[in-house]
Structure formats: structure tokens, C-alpha cells
């Protein structure tokens, strides 16, 4: 269930379009931060347990199923990042 704030969205910059761009940039920064931390955790655990090397990660070739899952994730991700544009239209 998606939540939507009630009332009119406040404008912090010179116009609503600039605020939308700021919201997109902040959403991307949040996503990258969470992703970076999660990746770092996984690499540290894998290194500690001797599970795989950096070279193995670089050489990895995803299966078609994995590619499809990644494509779906990308579509959902882009929708989240651009959510502010859709909310302001509707």
C-alpha cells in the first residue's frame, strides 16, 4: 500500500520542478547509500568466509532468469525514483 502525504507539497526552491529534481536526486542518493552498505556487508562476509574473490565477481555471467529478475528490479527502481513526478501529475 502506497502512502501519499495529504495537502499540497511544499516548495523549497524557486519552483516546483526544481523541487521535483531535488526529490529525485535525494531518492537516488538514498538508494545508492543503502545499496553500497549492503554490498559492502556481503563482500566482507564473503571475504571472511572465503566464499569468493573479487575476480570471480567480475567474471560472473548471469543466467537469463537472473537477467529477467534484474530487469524487473530496474523497472521497480525507476518507478520509485520518479514517483514524485507521478504523484504531482495525479
Amino acid at each position: 500500500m502506497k502512502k501519499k502525504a495529504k495537502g499540497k507539497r511544499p516548495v523549497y526552491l524557486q519552483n516546483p520542478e526544481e523541487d521535483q529534481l531535488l526529490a529525485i536526486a535525494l531518492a537516488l542518493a538514498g538508494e545508492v547509500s543503502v545499496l553500497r552498505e549492503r554490498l559492502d556487508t556481503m563482500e566482507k562476509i564473503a571475504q571472511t568466509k572465503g566464499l569468493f574473490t573479487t575476480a570471480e565477481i567480475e567474471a560472473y555471467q548471469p543466467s537469463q532468469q537472473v537477467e529477467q529478475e534484474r530487469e524487473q528490479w530496474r523497472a521497480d527502481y525507476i518507478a520509485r525514483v520518479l514517483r514524485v513526478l507521478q504523484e504531482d501529475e495525479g
Side-chain angles (χ1 to χ4, degrees):
M1 176 182 218
K2 289 185 177 181
K3 294 182 179 180
K4 186 174 181 179
K6 293 181 180 177
K8 197 171 184 176
R9 182 182 300 274
V11 177
Y12 298 106
L13 301 176
Q14 295 196 11
N15 60 56
E17 291 79 18
E18 289 178 355
D19 274 14
Q20 287 177 332
L21 288 175
L22 177 62
I24 290 169
L26 292 175
L28 286 170
E31 292 283 345
V32 169
S33 178
V34 169
L35 185 60
R36 176 67 185 98
E37 186 173 316
R38 188 173 176 97
L39 179 61
D40 183 60
T41 299
M42 292 175 65
E43 288 178 352
K44 298 263 189 292
I45 290 171
Q47 183 177 353
T48 300
K49 294 187 176 205
L51 297 176
F52 54 81
T53 65
T54 302
E56 289 172 315
I57 293 172
E58 296 297 328
Y60 175 74
Q61 295 292 318
S63 67
Q64 187 173 1
Q65 172 68 28
V66 171
E67 287 286 356
Q68 289 173 349
E69 291 170 1
R70 288 178 176 181
E71 184 61 36
Q72 181 60 54
W73 182 88
R74 275 191 290 273
D76 293 344
Y77 172 70
I78 290 170
R80 283 194 310 274
V81 169
L82 299 179
R83 179 182 52 135
V84 67
L85 297 177
Q86 295 171 340
E87 287 178 355
D88 286 351
E89 288 177 1

